[in-house]
Amino acid sequence: MKRIRLLATREVRELLRQPAMLLAITTLFLAIGGLVLTSAGILQLIALSEAARTGTESWLPIFGLQDASLDAVAGYTLAIGAFLLLSQYLGISGVLAGHTVLHDRQCHTLPFLLLAPITRSELLLGKVLGALALPTLLFVLGQAVVMGTLAALPLTANSSSVLPTNPAWWITTLLGAPIWAIAIGLKCAIISALARDVRTAQQSVWLIMFFATLIAGYLLVQQLPAGALTQLGVAALGATFACTALFVGAKVISRDLGR
Amino acid sequence: MSASPRLLVEGVHRSFGPTEVLRAIDLQVRAGEVLGLIGPNGGGKSTLILLMAGLLRPSQGRITVEGTLAVDLARKASGEIGLITPDPGLYPLLTGHENLRFFGELNGLSPSDVDDRARPWIETLGLEAALHTRTGTWSSGMRQKLSLVRARLCDPLVLLFDEPTANLDPIAADAVWRAVHGAAEAQIAVVVATHDLRAAETICDRVAFVQSEVRHLETLQGERAPPSPSRLLEVYRRCALEAP
């Protein structure tokens, strides 16, 4: 455990000393959060006036939203916002975890890590946890601020499944999403360790990340209305993927260490 | 020097796909002995070093350190094999001290142990002034010296040097050769892959010419010593010290 902490702390320290990536992640979360809050705010302003609400709802069929109410549009906005925040967090996790191994390959530090008295599982877990610590903090903060603010709007009363008023939201934000981020991060780290060169590693990471974030994003956001138990199941599925990745990763990275 | 070999290479072949890089390698190194590996670029010296470190698996044959397969030692990550590569393998955003602390603690040392063990080497190699600055700003010679300090932190049984003086200035190279000599004096089994024949002649007990196979193995006569400082090295050192 001490060695996992050592590896993770070093990752965090290096990430803090190269703040460009953190700035990019923060900007991304701010942009998504700002977009969702602005959209929901405008909808709330419209909802305050009955005339504006009726007028706007009469325009909705033009956008393919037959018989839709302003409340339903607010619901779509929230769902899209929640999915964007989550999928971006998962995507960032894959990139950062993959990059942490590539960084070791570029710095030629990987052989020295492989020769140190740590298991491959500890090595993978330490690097991935370190790479994800700060993005996870930013994600949880972003979710809390954006979704917490949205929960205060009267218009979102009918869309509470993606808001903190739903207990499943807490399970998703604090448990499910970080576990899936670790699972995706582990897969990307393993690929980066095994790929012959940096370009192949990056291309493979992008491919995995695209599909994995879509699937995990769907499970985590679309299943929120199904309740807390379902979200616990989704988190357990993510944990199973993470454990499998850890087990397989420890085996394949040991096969020919010097690659 | 002990009688029984500490590092034993027996009938080792290694291929990468259809390309056979090494074949029928048989070598042994005793504790306190320095084995030099010389040979042309692409001759397989670095591959042999990685095989000895257990970071690559032989296609055939076996490599053992005190009876345990090198690959198993690397997999168990016992810290008994020290490695110095041409690229020092340091984190550029961490300071020299942070790098040493990180690798030392990863190898099971306490922070104070790391500092105590590193101090004499840092003083000998003249790294005190830069120790708390980021290694990304260091010269390649300074980084190589720090990688030497790191390799000596954990009392390895075997130390493997892969072209340790590549791209180093004469002062740094001299420090590296002294460290190689010091390791052998401390009864560590040492293997050095190098293109510096003059240094190999003075510092190695035996030298193997490797070009896909061991084409020649020679035991060198005379007492082992670091390469003797040339008059020009002294001039070089004085000028470097006097430079603003």
Side-chain angles (χ1 to χ4, degrees):
Chain A
M1 201 60 185
K2 186 194 166 197
R3 292 187 170 105
I4 294 176
R5 184 179 51 77
L6 264 173
L7 286 159
T9 311
R10 192 204 57 73
E11 290 295 336
V12 171
R13 188 174 285 167
E14 278 212 303
L15 208 57
L16 284 171
R17 289 188 186 170
Q18 204 167 32
M21 180 56 99
L22 282 179
L23 199 65
I25 297 168
T26 310
T27 308
L28 187 66
F29 285 153
L30 280 176
I32 295 170
L35 196 68
V36 176
L37 284 174
T38 309
S39 306
I42 291 170
L43 290 172
Q44 182 60 60
L45 282 177
I46 293 170
L48 290 177
S49 150
E50 194 52 43
R53 173 191 275 267
T54 315
T56 307
E57 284 177 345
S58 69
W59 279 88
L60 292 178
I62 295 172
F63 301 103
L65 300 167
Q66 306 296 336
D67 302 324
S69 65
L70 207 60
D71 299 57
V73 175
Y76 296 144
T77 308
L78 259 61
I80 291 169
F83 179 77
L84 278 177
L85 271 176
L86 197 92
S87 60
Q88 291 309 303
Y89 162 61
L90 296 176
I92 287 163
S93 303
V95 171
L96 286 182
H99 186 260
T100 181
V101 178
L102 290 181
H103 180 60
D104 274 303
R105 288 177 68 164
Q106 284 169 334
C107 297
H108 304 280
T109 41
L110 201 53
F112 300 98
L113 296 178
L114 295 174
L115 282 174
I118 44 169
T119 65
R120 304 290 170 264
S121 308
E122 286 174 325
L123 177 62
L124 278 170
L125 202 57
K127 294 193 76 61
V128 170
L129 289 179
L132 302 194
L134 292 172
T136 301
L137 191 68
L138 288 172
F139 165 72
V140 172
L141 271 175
Q143 279 274 62
V145 171
V146 174
M147 295 305 171
T149 310
L150 288 172
L153 300 178
L155 190 69
T156 61
N158 294 331
S159 321
S160 59
S161 64
V162 295
L163 295 172
T165 44
N166 177 8
W169 180 89
W170 290 94
I171 294 170
T172 302
T173 303
L174 298 177
L175 194 68
I179 286 176
W180 274 95
I182 291 169
I184 294 170
L186 281 169
K187 284 184 176 63
C188 292
I190 293 164
I191 287 167
S192 299
L194 295 179
R196 285 246 170 247
D197 54 69
V198 170
R199 184 188 293 189
T200 311
Q202 284 179 330
Q203 286 166 343
S204 311
V205 162
W206 280 107
L207 189 72
I208 290 254
M209 207 185 72
F210 177 74
F211 288 109
T213 52
L214 278 184
I215 294 166
Y218 170 80
L219 285 172
L220 289 164
V221 177
Q222 295 302 105
Q223 298 305 313
L224 269 172
L229 209 59
T230 306
Q231 278 306 311
L232 279 175
V234 171
L237 187 65
T240 309
F241 277 125
C243 290
T244 310
L246 210 54
F247 179 76
V248 173
K251 294 283 174 204
V252 294
I253 290 176
S254 297
R255 197 167 290 157
D256 206 0
L257 308 169
R259 281 211 279 187
Chain B
M1 203 184 301
S2 94
S4 59
R6 179 171 282 175
L7 174 69
L8 196 56
V9 181
E10 297 171 287
V12 164
H13 293 246
R14 173 68 203 207
S15 302
F16 291 104
T19 312
E20 190 178 48
V21 178
L22 290 169
R23 59 177 171 270
I25 304 285
D26 288 297
L27 288 168
Q28 49 178 270
V29 191
R30 290 184 290 272
E33 184 184 22
V34 182
L35 171 71
L37 301 177
I38 58 170
N41 290 328
K45 298 187 301 297
S46 294
T47 303
L48 186 52
I49 290 279
L50 289 176
L51 285 161
M52 287 171 169
L55 291 172
L56 284 179
R57 194 181 285 275
S59 307
Q60 277 179 47
R62 56 186 229 141
I63 298 176
T64 53
V65 175
E66 302 243 297
T68 308
L69 285 177
V71 167
D72 288 345
L73 279 178
R75 194 188 292 140
K76 284 178 203 154
S78 55
E80 286 164 346
I81 302 173
L83 179 67
I84 287 110
T85 54
D87 297 295
L90 300 169
Y91 291 106
L93 294 175
L94 300 189
T95 67
H97 185 246
E98 287 168 342
N99 267 290
L100 284 180
R101 278 274 182 95
F102 170 70
F103 285 107
E105 287 188 59
L106 207 56
N107 281 283
L109 299 177
S110 69
S112 58
D113 267 354
V114 174
D115 292 349
D116 291 344
R117 287 174 181 229
R119 193 171 301 117
W121 291 100
I122 287 164
E123 284 168 11
T124 307
L125 296 170
L127 291 171
E128 306 100 310
L131 197 62
H132 294 282
T133 59
R134 293 183 189 183
T135 57
T137 62
W138 289 16
S139 69
S140 50
M142 286 166 71
R143 282 186 275 130
Q144 191 63 294
K145 285 179 188 175
L146 194 74
S147 104
L148 274 171
V149 180
R150 175 182 56 195
R152 294 303 304 274
L153 282 178
C154 297
D155 298 328
L157 294 174
V158 175
L159 255 182
L160 305 167
F161 292 79
D162 185 11
E163 298 188 27
T165 56
N167 305 319
L168 294 191
D169 67 41
I171 296 174
D174 183 57
V176 168
W177 290 125
R178 285 176 191 285
V180 170
H181 183 258
E185 293 294 301
Q187 292 305 300
I188 297 171
V190 181
V191 180
V192 188
T194 183
H195 291 295
D196 189 338
L197 300 183
R198 185 177 160 270
E201 252 175 25
T202 61
I203 209 157
C204 297
D205 298 296
R206 289 183 304 136
V207 172
F209 185 93
V210 178
Q211 190 174 17
S212 300
E213 58 191 352
V214 177
R215 298 207 164 187
H216 179 78
L217 182 64
E218 183 169 322
T219 303
L220 298 169
Q221 303 301 319
E223 195 171 327
R224 181 184 60 215
S228 55
S230 70
R231 190 187 65 80
L232 272 181
L233 178 65
E234 290 312 311
V235 173
Y236 191 107
R237 199 188 297 274
R238 199 171 58 243
C239 292
L241 282 173
E242 285 169 3

